[in-house]
Short mmCIF file of all heavy atoms in Angstrom, two decimals:
data_model
loop_
_atom_site.label_atom_id
_atom_site.label_comp_id
_atom_site.label_asym_id
_atom_site.label_seq_id
_atom_site.Cartn_x
_atom_site.Cartn_y
_atom_site.Cartn_z
N ILE A 1 -17.16 -1.37 2.93
CA ILE A 1 -17.80 -0.07 2.63
C ILE A 1 -18.88 -0.17 1.54
O ILE A 1 -19.58 0.82 1.33
CB ILE A 1 -16.75 0.99 2.24
CG1 ILE A 1 -16.08 0.60 0.92
CG2 ILE A 1 -15.72 1.17 3.32
CD1 ILE A 1 -15.09 1.66 0.41
N GLY A 2 -18.98 -1.30 0.87
CA GLY A 2 -20.00 -1.45 -0.17
C GLY A 2 -19.44 -1.23 -1.55
O GLY A 2 -18.51 -0.45 -1.75
N GLU A 3 -20.03 -1.93 -2.52
CA GLU A 3 -19.53 -1.86 -3.89
C GLU A 3 -19.66 -0.46 -4.49
O GLU A 3 -18.75 0.03 -5.15
CB GLU A 3 -20.29 -2.86 -4.79
CG GLU A 3 -20.03 -4.31 -4.47
CD GLU A 3 -21.10 -4.88 -3.55
OE1 GLU A 3 -21.75 -4.08 -2.81
OE2 GLU A 3 -21.30 -6.12 -3.54
N VAL A 4 -20.79 0.21 -4.24
CA VAL A 4 -21.00 1.55 -4.83
C VAL A 4 -20.02 2.54 -4.23
O VAL A 4 -19.39 3.32 -4.95
CB VAL A 4 -22.46 2.01 -4.62
CG1 VAL A 4 -22.64 3.43 -5.14
CG2 VAL A 4 -23.43 1.07 -5.30
N HIS A 5 -19.91 2.56 -2.91
CA HIS A 5 -19.00 3.48 -2.25
C HIS A 5 -17.55 3.24 -2.68
O HIS A 5 -16.78 4.20 -2.88
CB HIS A 5 -19.10 3.36 -0.73
CG HIS A 5 -20.40 3.89 -0.18
ND1 HIS A 5 -20.92 3.50 1.03
CD2 HIS A 5 -21.30 4.74 -0.71
CE1 HIS A 5 -22.07 4.11 1.24
NE2 HIS A 5 -22.33 4.87 0.19
N LEU A 6 -17.17 1.98 -2.83
CA LEU A 6 -15.81 1.67 -3.25
C LEU A 6 -15.58 2.13 -4.67
O LEU A 6 -14.54 2.75 -4.98
CB LEU A 6 -15.55 0.17 -3.12
CG LEU A 6 -14.19 -0.32 -3.64
CD1 LEU A 6 -13.06 0.37 -2.91
CD2 LEU A 6 -14.07 -1.83 -3.49
N TYR A 7 -16.55 1.88 -5.56
CA TYR A 7 -16.38 2.26 -6.96
C TYR A 7 -16.28 3.79 -7.12
O TYR A 7 -15.38 4.30 -7.79
CB TYR A 7 -17.56 1.71 -7.80
CG TYR A 7 -17.35 1.84 -9.28
CD1 TYR A 7 -16.54 0.92 -9.95
CD2 TYR A 7 -17.94 2.84 -10.02
CE1 TYR A 7 -16.34 1.03 -11.32
CE2 TYR A 7 -17.75 2.96 -11.37
CZ TYR A 7 -16.94 2.03 -12.03
OH TYR A 7 -16.75 2.16 -13.39
N VAL A 8 -17.19 4.48 -6.44
CA VAL A 8 -17.17 5.95 -6.55
C VAL A 8 -15.93 6.53 -5.88
O VAL A 8 -15.29 7.45 -6.40
CB VAL A 8 -18.46 6.53 -5.92
CG1 VAL A 8 -18.35 8.06 -5.81
CG2 VAL A 8 -19.68 6.15 -6.74
N GLY A 9 -15.57 5.99 -4.71
CA GLY A 9 -14.37 6.46 -4.02
C GLY A 9 -13.12 6.25 -4.85
O GLY A 9 -12.25 7.12 -4.92
N ALA A 10 -13.04 5.08 -5.50
CA ALA A 10 -11.90 4.80 -6.35
C ALA A 10 -11.85 5.75 -7.55
O ALA A 10 -10.77 6.22 -7.94
CB ALA A 10 -11.95 3.34 -6.84
N LEU A 11 -13.03 6.06 -8.11
CA LEU A 11 -13.07 7.01 -9.22
C LEU A 11 -12.57 8.39 -8.79
O LEU A 11 -11.79 9.03 -9.51
CB LEU A 11 -14.49 7.10 -9.76
CG LEU A 11 -14.90 6.17 -10.89
CD1 LEU A 11 -16.35 6.40 -11.26
CD2 LEU A 11 -14.02 6.35 -12.12
N ILE A 12 -13.04 8.85 -7.65
CA ILE A 12 -12.63 10.19 -7.17
C ILE A 12 -11.13 10.21 -6.89
O ILE A 12 -10.41 11.17 -7.24
CB ILE A 12 -13.42 10.58 -5.91
CG1 ILE A 12 -14.91 10.76 -6.26
CG2 ILE A 12 -12.88 11.84 -5.27
CD1 ILE A 12 -15.81 10.97 -5.06
N PHE A 13 -10.62 9.15 -6.25
CA PHE A 13 -9.19 9.05 -5.98
C PHE A 13 -8.41 9.00 -7.29
O PHE A 13 -7.33 9.60 -7.42
CB PHE A 13 -8.94 7.79 -5.14
CG PHE A 13 -7.54 7.64 -4.62
CD1 PHE A 13 -6.71 8.74 -4.44
CD2 PHE A 13 -7.03 6.38 -4.32
CE1 PHE A 13 -5.41 8.59 -3.96
CE2 PHE A 13 -5.74 6.21 -3.85
CZ PHE A 13 -4.92 7.34 -3.68
N PHE A 14 -8.95 8.30 -8.29
CA PHE A 14 -8.30 8.21 -9.59
C PHE A 14 -8.21 9.58 -10.28
O PHE A 14 -7.19 9.93 -10.86
CB PHE A 14 -9.09 7.23 -10.46
CG PHE A 14 -8.47 6.95 -11.81
CD1 PHE A 14 -7.43 6.05 -11.95
CD2 PHE A 14 -8.95 7.60 -12.95
CE1 PHE A 14 -6.87 5.79 -13.19
CE2 PHE A 14 -8.39 7.35 -14.18
CZ PHE A 14 -7.35 6.44 -14.31
N LEU A 15 -9.29 10.34 -10.19
CA LEU A 15 -9.30 11.68 -10.79
C LEU A 15 -8.30 12.60 -10.09
O LEU A 15 -7.58 13.38 -10.74
CB LEU A 15 -10.70 12.28 -10.72
CG LEU A 15 -11.82 11.54 -11.44
CD1 LEU A 15 -13.13 12.30 -11.31
CD2 LEU A 15 -11.46 11.34 -12.91
N THR A 16 -8.25 12.52 -8.77
CA THR A 16 -7.32 13.35 -8.01
C THR A 16 -5.88 13.02 -8.38
O THR A 16 -5.07 13.94 -8.61
CB THR A 16 -7.52 13.13 -6.50
OG1 THR A 16 -8.89 13.40 -6.16
CG2 THR A 16 -6.62 14.04 -5.69
N THR A 17 -5.55 11.75 -8.43
CA THR A 17 -4.18 11.38 -8.76
C THR A 17 -3.85 11.68 -10.24
O THR A 17 -2.70 11.96 -10.56
CB THR A 17 -3.94 9.88 -8.47
OG1 THR A 17 -4.94 9.09 -9.10
CG2 THR A 17 -3.95 9.63 -6.97
N SER A 18 -4.86 11.63 -11.10
CA SER A 18 -4.62 12.02 -12.50
C SER A 18 -4.22 13.47 -12.60
O SER A 18 -3.30 13.84 -13.34
CB SER A 18 -5.90 11.76 -13.34
OG SER A 18 -6.19 10.40 -13.42
N PHE A 19 -4.92 14.32 -11.83
CA PHE A 19 -4.57 15.76 -11.80
C PHE A 19 -3.16 15.96 -11.25
O PHE A 19 -2.37 16.74 -11.80
CB PHE A 19 -5.59 16.51 -10.95
CG PHE A 19 -5.25 17.96 -10.76
CD1 PHE A 19 -5.43 18.88 -11.77
CD2 PHE A 19 -4.73 18.40 -9.54
CE1 PHE A 19 -5.11 20.22 -11.59
CE2 PHE A 19 -4.40 19.74 -9.36
CZ PHE A 19 -4.58 20.65 -10.38
N LEU A 20 -2.83 15.23 -10.19
CA LEU A 20 -1.50 15.36 -9.60
C LEU A 20 -0.42 14.89 -10.55
O LEU A 20 0.68 15.46 -10.59
CB LEU A 20 -1.43 14.57 -8.28
CG LEU A 20 -2.32 15.11 -7.14
CD1 LEU A 20 -2.32 14.16 -5.96
CD2 LEU A 20 -1.85 16.50 -6.71
N CYS A 21 -0.70 13.84 -11.31
CA CYS A 21 0.27 13.38 -12.34
C CYS A 21 0.51 14.49 -13.35
O CYS A 21 1.65 14.72 -13.78
CB CYS A 21 -0.26 12.12 -13.04
SG CYS A 21 -0.17 10.61 -12.07
N GLY A 22 -0.55 15.16 -13.76
CA GLY A 22 -0.43 16.19 -14.78
C GLY A 22 0.34 17.42 -14.35
O GLY A 22 0.95 18.09 -15.20
N ILE A 23 0.35 17.71 -13.04
CA ILE A 23 1.07 18.90 -12.57
C ILE A 23 2.42 18.55 -11.95
O ILE A 23 3.07 19.42 -11.36
CB ILE A 23 0.21 19.68 -11.53
CG1 ILE A 23 -0.03 18.84 -10.28
CG2 ILE A 23 -1.10 20.15 -12.16
CD1 ILE A 23 -0.71 19.61 -9.15
N SER A 24 2.84 17.30 -12.09
CA SER A 24 4.14 16.89 -11.52
C SER A 24 5.27 17.68 -12.16
O SER A 24 5.28 17.92 -13.36
CB SER A 24 4.35 15.39 -11.75
OG SER A 24 3.37 14.63 -11.09
N GLN A 25 6.23 18.05 -11.32
CA GLN A 25 7.36 18.83 -11.78
C GLN A 25 8.68 18.05 -11.84
O GLN A 25 9.69 18.58 -12.28
CB GLN A 25 7.55 20.05 -10.84
CG GLN A 25 6.37 20.99 -10.80
CD GLN A 25 6.06 21.60 -12.17
OE1 GLN A 25 6.95 22.15 -12.82
NE2 GLN A 25 4.82 21.49 -12.60
N SER A 26 8.65 16.81 -11.38
CA SER A 26 9.85 15.99 -11.41
C SER A 26 9.45 14.54 -11.64
O SER A 26 8.29 14.16 -11.44
CB SER A 26 10.64 16.12 -10.12
OG SER A 26 9.92 15.52 -9.03
N MET A 27 10.42 13.73 -12.05
CA MET A 27 10.12 12.31 -12.29
C MET A 27 9.74 11.62 -10.99
O MET A 27 8.88 10.75 -10.96
CB MET A 27 11.34 11.63 -12.93
CG MET A 27 11.11 10.15 -13.25
SD MET A 27 9.67 9.82 -14.31
CE MET A 27 10.21 10.55 -15.85
N GLY A 28 10.38 12.03 -9.88
CA GLY A 28 10.04 11.45 -8.58
C GLY A 28 8.58 11.67 -8.23
O GLY A 28 7.88 10.75 -7.78
N GLU A 29 8.11 12.90 -8.42
CA GLU A 29 6.70 13.22 -8.14
C GLU A 29 5.79 12.41 -9.03
O GLU A 29 4.77 11.84 -8.59
CB GLU A 29 6.45 14.71 -8.36
CG GLU A 29 7.03 15.63 -7.30
CD GLU A 29 6.68 17.08 -7.56
OE1 GLU A 29 5.84 17.33 -8.46
OE2 GLU A 29 7.23 17.94 -6.87
N LEU A 30 6.11 12.33 -10.31
CA LEU A 30 5.25 11.63 -11.27
C LEU A 30 5.15 10.15 -10.93
O LEU A 30 4.06 9.56 -10.99
CB LEU A 30 5.78 11.81 -12.70
CG LEU A 30 4.96 11.17 -13.81
CD1 LEU A 30 3.52 11.67 -13.80
CD2 LEU A 30 5.60 11.46 -15.17
N VAL A 31 6.27 9.53 -10.55
CA VAL A 31 6.25 8.11 -10.20
C VAL A 31 5.40 7.86 -8.95
O VAL A 31 4.62 6.90 -8.89
CB VAL A 31 7.69 7.58 -10.00
CG1 VAL A 31 7.67 6.19 -9.36
CG2 VAL A 31 8.43 7.52 -11.32
N ILE A 32 5.51 8.73 -7.96
CA ILE A 32 4.71 8.60 -6.75
C ILE A 32 3.23 8.71 -7.07
O ILE A 32 2.41 7.88 -6.63
CB ILE A 32 5.11 9.67 -5.71
CG1 ILE A 32 6.51 9.38 -5.16
CG2 ILE A 32 4.08 9.73 -4.57
CD1 ILE A 32 7.06 10.48 -4.27
N PHE A 33 2.86 9.70 -7.88
CA PHE A 33 1.43 9.89 -8.19
C PHE A 33 0.91 8.80 -9.13
O PHE A 33 -0.28 8.44 -9.03
CB PHE A 33 1.22 11.29 -8.79
CG PHE A 33 1.49 12.41 -7.82
CD1 PHE A 33 2.18 13.55 -8.21
CD2 PHE A 33 1.09 12.30 -6.50
CE1 PHE A 33 2.44 14.58 -7.32
CE2 PHE A 33 1.36 13.33 -5.60
CZ PHE A 33 2.03 14.47 -6.00
N ARG A 34 1.77 8.28 -10.00
CA ARG A 34 1.35 7.15 -10.85
C ARG A 34 1.12 5.90 -9.99
O ARG A 34 0.24 5.10 -10.28
CB ARG A 34 2.39 6.88 -11.92
CG ARG A 34 2.28 7.76 -13.12
CD ARG A 34 1.10 7.39 -14.02
NE ARG A 34 1.38 6.22 -14.86
CZ ARG A 34 0.52 5.69 -15.69
NH1 ARG A 34 -0.71 6.17 -15.78
NH2 ARG A 34 0.84 4.64 -16.43
N THR A 35 1.93 5.73 -8.96
CA THR A 35 1.74 4.61 -8.04
C THR A 35 0.39 4.72 -7.37
O THR A 35 -0.37 3.73 -7.29
CB THR A 35 2.86 4.59 -6.99
OG1 THR A 35 4.14 4.47 -7.63
CG2 THR A 35 2.67 3.43 -6.02
N LEU A 36 0.05 5.92 -6.90
CA LEU A 36 -1.26 6.12 -6.26
C LEU A 36 -2.38 5.96 -7.26
O LEU A 36 -3.47 5.46 -6.93
CB LEU A 36 -1.30 7.53 -5.61
CG LEU A 36 -0.32 7.75 -4.45
CD1 LEU A 36 -0.38 9.20 -3.98
CD2 LEU A 36 -0.63 6.81 -3.29
N GLN A 37 -2.15 6.39 -8.49
CA GLN A 37 -3.19 6.26 -9.52
C GLN A 37 -3.44 4.78 -9.83
O GLN A 37 -4.59 4.37 -10.02
CB GLN A 37 -2.73 6.96 -10.80
CG GLN A 37 -3.83 7.05 -11.87
CD GLN A 37 -3.31 7.56 -13.18
OE1 GLN A 37 -2.19 7.24 -13.60
NE2 GLN A 37 -4.11 8.38 -13.87
N GLY A 38 -2.39 3.96 -9.83
CA GLY A 38 -2.57 2.53 -10.02
C GLY A 38 -3.36 1.88 -8.91
O GLY A 38 -4.22 1.03 -9.16
N LEU A 39 -3.13 2.31 -7.67
CA LEU A 39 -3.92 1.80 -6.55
C LEU A 39 -5.38 2.20 -6.68
O LEU A 39 -6.29 1.41 -6.43
CB LEU A 39 -3.35 2.34 -5.22
CG LEU A 39 -2.07 1.71 -4.72
CD1 LEU A 39 -1.57 2.46 -3.48
CD2 LEU A 39 -2.26 0.24 -4.39
N ALA A 40 -5.59 3.46 -7.09
CA ALA A 40 -6.97 3.94 -7.25
C ALA A 40 -7.70 3.18 -8.35
O ALA A 40 -8.91 2.93 -8.24
CB ALA A 40 -6.95 5.44 -7.57
N ALA A 41 -6.98 2.80 -9.40
CA ALA A 41 -7.62 2.12 -10.54
C ALA A 41 -7.93 0.66 -10.25
O ALA A 41 -8.78 0.08 -10.92
CB ALA A 41 -6.69 2.21 -11.77
N ALA A 42 -7.29 0.07 -9.26
CA ALA A 42 -7.42 -1.37 -9.02
C ALA A 42 -8.86 -1.85 -8.84
O ALA A 42 -9.25 -2.88 -9.40
CB ALA A 42 -6.57 -1.78 -7.81
N PRO A 43 -9.71 -1.16 -8.05
CA PRO A 43 -11.08 -1.69 -7.85
C PRO A 43 -12.03 -1.51 -9.03
O PRO A 43 -13.11 -2.10 -9.04
CB PRO A 43 -11.59 -0.89 -6.64
CG PRO A 43 -10.41 -0.22 -6.05
CD PRO A 43 -9.45 -0.02 -7.17
N LEU A 44 -11.66 -0.68 -10.01
CA LEU A 44 -12.63 -0.27 -11.01
C LEU A 44 -13.15 -1.43 -11.85
O LEU A 44 -14.37 -1.57 -12.05
CB LEU A 44 -12.04 0.82 -11.92
CG LEU A 44 -11.69 2.15 -11.21
CD1 LEU A 44 -11.11 3.15 -12.20
CD2 LEU A 44 -12.94 2.74 -10.56
N PHE A 45 -12.27 -2.27 -12.37
CA PHE A 45 -12.74 -3.35 -13.25
C PHE A 45 -13.51 -4.43 -12.47
O PHE A 45 -14.62 -4.77 -12.88
CB PHE A 45 -11.56 -3.98 -14.01
CG PHE A 45 -11.99 -4.83 -15.16
CD1 PHE A 45 -12.18 -4.30 -16.42
CD2 PHE A 45 -12.24 -6.19 -14.98
CE1 PHE A 45 -12.60 -5.09 -17.48
CE2 PHE A 45 -12.64 -6.99 -16.03
CZ PHE A 45 -12.83 -6.44 -17.28
N PRO A 46 -12.98 -4.99 -11.38
CA PRO A 46 -13.76 -6.02 -10.68
C PRO A 46 -15.08 -5.49 -10.12
O PRO A 46 -16.10 -6.19 -10.14
CB PRO A 46 -12.82 -6.51 -9.56
CG PRO A 46 -11.77 -5.47 -9.45
CD PRO A 46 -11.64 -4.84 -10.79
N MET A 47 -15.09 -4.26 -9.60
CA MET A 47 -16.35 -3.71 -9.06
C MET A 47 -17.36 -3.42 -10.17
O MET A 47 -18.57 -3.51 -9.95
CB MET A 47 -16.07 -2.45 -8.26
CG MET A 47 -15.48 -2.70 -6.88
SD MET A 47 -16.52 -3.76 -5.84
CE MET A 47 -15.75 -5.37 -6.06
#
């Protein structure tokens, strides 16, 4: 998909999961959203 699209897409996904982490109502929800946030953050440094 290209470096720029991947970097921007990862940033948007990261922001979305950050918001979901903040509104989590249970530990189960928070762990799930933190898992997704970690996936979203993965491309940011190498890209």
